[in-house]
Structures are given as C-alpha cells and as structure tokens.
C-alpha cells in the first residue's frame, strides 16, 4: 500500500514524514517524534493514515509509535487467525514493542484499536503501561448497533470530512471477534489510569454506555475517566483532532507529573 507520508493531497489523509520505520520479520510500524513512547492503534479497516491529523499534535512531546495491524495498510497478511482471535493482534503489538525496545509507554487506540490496546494493557508482561486511552472504542461491544458505520461518523456530515473518513477506511475483510468483545469484568485488573473519549454524536452512545455501566459498575476502577467530545462522532480522531489531542496530552501530563512528584518525595 502506498501511503502518502509528508504530502498534502486534497481529500487524502497524509501522515507526516516518519522519523523511523520498522518493517522486518512480518512487523510494520512507524515512529514519529521523541520522548516517552505513545502507542497508537488504528481501528478496523484503518491504517497509520487514520491518525494523520493526530500524529503532528502528539509527536511534538511524545515518541508516537503507530503500527499497521495485520491485513491493514502495509501490515503482514499471513496469519488469518487475526480475524477471529484478538490475541493474534496482542502478540503482534508486543513483538513491535519488543523490537523497538520499549520498556514503558502510554497506549491508545481508536475503535477496534482501543479494544486491542485494552488487551495489551491487561497483558503487560512486566512492562509498565503508564496510561490507557480509549478513543471512541468499546469496553463491551453494544448489543444494539447502528445499521451502518456512516451513521456513527461525521457530526454534521460535511463532504470533506466524509471524504477523509472514506480515505481512512480500507475495503478489506472485516475483523469478526469484536462483535462478541466484552472486557468489562476485567477492568479492575488494570494497573493504570484510563481515559475514555466518546464522540457525543454517536447514536448508540447513551443506550450502550448506560447498559455498560449497569452491567459493570462494580468493575470500573476509580481512575477510569470518561469525556464526551462535542461536534464529532465515531471518527473523532478525524473530526476533532485538536480536542482529542488536548485531552490526551492533559491526561498523560497529569500522570507524568504524578510520577515526578512521587520520585521527589
């Protein structure tokens, strides 16, 4: 897949030029900026292009690591169990982190990528996940879903935004396991703070989130923060990247500040 790094093409999501690229042994990831590592995982049908508007806002302060997941973008296309077993994606992410010698990091994911990031945080293998950010993702996939993805996308449906969202989506085979995903009972196993960002225009938000709270209120840790962002839907990373970045940077900044304060004490 030809990805338009560093270009400015109308109607296209063009990521900035990367500072490093990992493409070996069936692994694909791009690195932007320097600092504390921040893992970004795209959603179903996406690629590094999904974060084209977000990467420049985050890479000024963080070492942003963006894999292309299997069967997405330039990701590997060998293990078809990726479509039915979420642990294939989890192992793939850990292999990338090991190859990049990452010891501690923040993790974030949009949609399906948030589900994978959550599973990565739950399987931290002795590495330190400093904080987890779920970007319009699902801890429990809602039982009642909108009839199509478009109804979850743009707040105002303007033509330019819809073109960019179409550009972010690959027409490849869809992952199947997310439809039965439910990690609500495992939230209390997390050892890091969690920030959940939801596009308030998403039509399933109220019903699905209320049902989630009813089922799992006892499992939600005290440092699980939910923010609803106005004027965006499911693709908040494309519609409102500045607002998303501001919330993420504030969240990570508080955690870094608390760590420094504890070291001083």
């Amino acid at each position: 897949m030809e990805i338009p790094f560093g270009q400015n093409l109308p109607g296209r999501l063009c990521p900035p030029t990367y500072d490093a690229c990992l493409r070996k042994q069936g692994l694909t990831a791009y690195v932007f900026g320097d600092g504390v590592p921040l893992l970004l995982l795209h959603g179903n049908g996406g690629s590094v292009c999904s974060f084209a508007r977000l990467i420049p806002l985050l890479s000024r302060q963080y070492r942003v690591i963006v894999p292309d997941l299997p069967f997405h973008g330039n990701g590997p296309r060998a293990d078809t169990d990726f479509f039915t077993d979420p642990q294939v994606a989890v192992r793939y992410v850990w292999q990338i982190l090991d190859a990049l010698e990452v010891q501690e990091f923040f993790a974030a994911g949009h949609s399906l990528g948030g589900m994978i990031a959550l599973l990565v945080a739950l399987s931290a293998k002795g590495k330190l996940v400093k904080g987890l950010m779920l970007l319009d993702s699902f801890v429990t996939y809602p039982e009642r879903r909108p009839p199509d993805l478009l109804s979850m996308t743009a707040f105002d449906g303007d033509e330019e935004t819809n073109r960019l969202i179409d550009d972010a989506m690959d027409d490849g085979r869809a992952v199947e396991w997310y439809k039965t995903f439910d990690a609500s009972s495992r939230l209390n196993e997390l050892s890091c703070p969690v920030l959940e960002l939801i596009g308030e225009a998403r039509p399933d938000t109220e019903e699905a989130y209320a049902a989630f709270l009813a089922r799992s209120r006892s499992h939600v840790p005290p440092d699980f923060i939910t923010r609803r962002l106005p004027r965006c839907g499911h693709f908040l990373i494309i519609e409102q990247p500045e607002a998303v970045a501001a919330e993420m940077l504030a969240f990570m900044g508080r955690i870094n500040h608390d760590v420094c304060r504890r070291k001083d004490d």
Side-chain angles (χ1 to χ4, degrees):
M1 177 181 179
E2 185 176 348
I3 296 175
F5 290 103
Q7 300 184 46
N8 184 15
L9 303 177
R12 296 293 306 277
L13 286 167
C14 303
T17 302
Y18 52 78
D19 294 300
C21 176
L22 172 68
R23 294 199 70 179
K24 64 177 183 179
Q25 299 175 333
L27 305 175
T28 301
Y30 307 95
V31 181
F32 307 85
D34 195 14
V36 176
L38 165 58
L39 173 72
L40 288 184
L41 299 178
H42 63 75
N44 197 12
S47 70
V48 62
C49 294
S50 303
F51 294 112
R53 289 183 160 185
L54 199 56
I55 290 168
L57 304 174
L58 299 173
S59 59
R60 299 167 188 165
Q61 300 182 41
Y62 290 89
R63 181 190 180 200
V64 180
I65 300 169
V66 189
D68 273 344
L69 292 172
F71 297 91
H72 292 72
N74 288 321
R77 299 176 184 268
D79 191 349
T80 56
D81 286 345
F82 168 78
F83 296 103
T84 56
D85 181 3
Q87 292 305 318
V88 173
V90 173
R91 289 193 295 270
Y92 175 76
V93 170
W94 279 121
Q95 289 171 346
I96 287 173
L97 294 172
D98 288 342
L100 294 174
E101 300 181 343
V102 174
Q103 295 300 318
E104 63 177 30
F105 60 100
F106 290 99
H110 172 246
S111 193
L112 179 84
M115 301 177 188
I116 298 170
L118 173 57
L119 295 177
V120 167
L122 287 168
S123 61
K125 299 196 319 181
K127 294 192 176 184
L128 178 61
V129 179
K130 295 165 67 71
L132 173 65
M133 289 156 283
L134 307 176
L135 310 178
D136 211 80
S137 186
F138 302 97
V139 173
T140 299
Y141 194 68
E143 291 142 4
R144 297 187 62 186
R145 301 180 296 277
D148 58 73
L149 189 61
L150 185 60
S151 68
M152 298 169 62
T153 57
F155 174 81
D156 54 10
D158 69 276
E159 186 176 346
E160 175 66 14
T161 298
N162 283 331
R163 275 203 305 267
L164 291 175
I165 290 171
D166 288 341
D167 186 53
M169 296 296 291
D170 192 352
D171 292 329
R173 176 180 168 187
V175 173
E176 300 167 14
W177 57 259
Y178 76 91
K179 297 176 183 178
T180 57
F181 185 82
D182 187 353
S184 58
S185 64
R186 299 192 62 193
L187 294 180
N188 56 4
E189 299 176 30
L190 290 168
S191 57
C192 65
V194 182
L195 172 66
E196 178 186 45
L197 298 180
I198 297 176
E200 69 174 17
R202 197 175 76 190
D204 67 314
T205 295
E206 295 295 338
E207 183 176 0
Y209 197 68
F212 157 66
L213 288 178
R215 287 195 304 271
S216 60
R217 186 175 297 275
S218 62
H219 301 296
V220 177
D223 48 4
F224 189 108
I225 303 167
T226 298
R227 298 270 193 269
R228 296 187 181 184
L229 300 184
R231 300 195 63 78
C232 58
H234 184 56
F235 282 90
L236 71 178
I237 59 173
I238 295 175
E239 296 182 88
Q240 295 292 342
E242 292 85 2
V244 172
E247 291 283 358
M248 293 176 68
L249 291 171
F251 174 75
M252 293 186 288
R254 286 193 297 270
I255 293 172
N256 289 330
H257 176 74
D258 289 344
V259 170
C260 291
R261 187 173 58 186
R262 285 197 296 270
K263 287 180 179 178
D264 291 339
D265 293 344

